[in-house]
Structure formats: C-alpha cells, structure tokens
Amino acid sequence: MAVNGTGPYDPQNVFARILRGELPCKKVYEDEYALAFHDIAPKAPIHVLVIPKGPFVSFADFSSNGTEAEITGFTRAVGKVARDLKLEAPGYRLLSNVGVEAGQEVPHFHVHLFGGKALGAMLPG
Ligand code: 5GP
C-alpha cells in the first residue's frame, strides 16, 4: 500500500529492519552514510536500492532535514554504486517515489538504480 511521504518515521519499516540487521539483504555497498542492496523484486537486470542510514521517510524529508554531510555522503554513494556496477558508460536510471501518487511503498527514503538494458520510456503509458 502506498504511504505518505511526509512522515512520521516508522522505525519498524522493512528498510529500517534491514539497516539494523534484523532482515537479510543482498548487499552491494555500504559506508557511513548509505547502504545499497538488490531489490527483492527486480524490474530491470540491475535493480539496486540505495538508502541513507538515517531515519528519513522520503526524499522530501531527506532533502529538508538531512545534514550537509548526510546529503553529500548519500549522493556520492549513489554515484559510486553506479560506477562500481559499470553502469556509467551504458547509462542508468535513478528514481525515487515520494508519497501516495508516486506509489511509494516503503517509508524509508530510497533511490532505485536501474540498468543493464535499454530502459525505454521514462513512464509507462
Ligand atoms: P517504492 O515503491 O517504495 O519506491 O519501492 C519499494 C521497493 O522495495 C520495491 O521495489 C520492492 O520490491 C522493494 N522491497 C520491498 N521489501 C523489500 C525487502 O524486504 N527487501 C528488498 N531487497 N527489497 C524490498
């Protein structure tokens, strides 16, 4: 079910549980600011989720309330993951759903990183 992208933060959400090590994930990368792991239901040959370590509900929350260090660290992590996956030359797509109309399902900010094939139209229909 789609969630409100403006909080409050639910510490029992599935990505919070992955961050705490309570649930497993197929980890791609981790540093002080970010964790990247494969999406459980991939929609492209490469479909990785990159999440900040802090408790942010959505991009709306993160962009307003993240510190400079958190925002810089997270952004650099997203770029590094794409680079490490050798997606820079062929290209890739970043997407972040915010709130109900975007269909956000997990209320912890995440960026979807898609690649590994020509991705086609930006939105269906
Ligand atoms: P959203 O719709 O919130 O932008 O995307 C949530 C994404 O999280 C979906 O692509 C979904 O497949 C993925 N997802 C949901 N639960 C889990 C999980 O437990 N593990 C992993 N790796 N991905 C998950």
Side-chain angles (χ1 to χ4, degrees):
M1 201 178 74
V3 297
N4 187 325
T6 57
Y9 186 79
D10 171 11
Q12 293 309 320
N13 79 75
V14 68
F15 293 171
R17 297 187 67 201
I18 286 174
L19 277 172
R20 289 196 296 269
E22 295 169 7
L23 293 174
C25 72
K26 285 172 65 181
K27 190 185 344 183
V28 173
Y29 176 75
E30 181 170 15
D31 66 18
E32 182 182 351
Y33 298 106
L35 175 68
F37 52 91
H38 291 281
D39 196 290
I40 203 167
K43 295 186 170 56
I46 296 173
H47 182 176
V48 166
L49 302 168
V50 192
I51 70 175
K53 293 249 169 122
F56 302 101
V57 174
S58 67
F59 178 76
D61 185 13
F62 186 64
S63 59
S64 293
N65 300 315
T67 65
E68 306 290 310
E70 286 172 321
I71 291 170
T72 302
F74 177 77
T75 303
R76 289 206 190 281
V78 174
K80 177 169 171 51
V81 169
R83 199 174 313 120
D84 290 353
L85 291 169
K86 305 204 181 318
L87 290 174
E88 282 189 345
Y92 60 91
R93 180 172 295 159
L94 301 178
L95 180 150
S96 188
N97 293 314
V98 180
V100 173
E101 291 205 350
Q104 182 180 356
E105 290 187 348
V106 178
H108 182 111
F109 172 44
H110 50 283
V111 168
H112 297 257
L113 193 164
F114 300 105
K117 70 169 188 177
L119 294 166
M122 190 161 57
L123 289 174

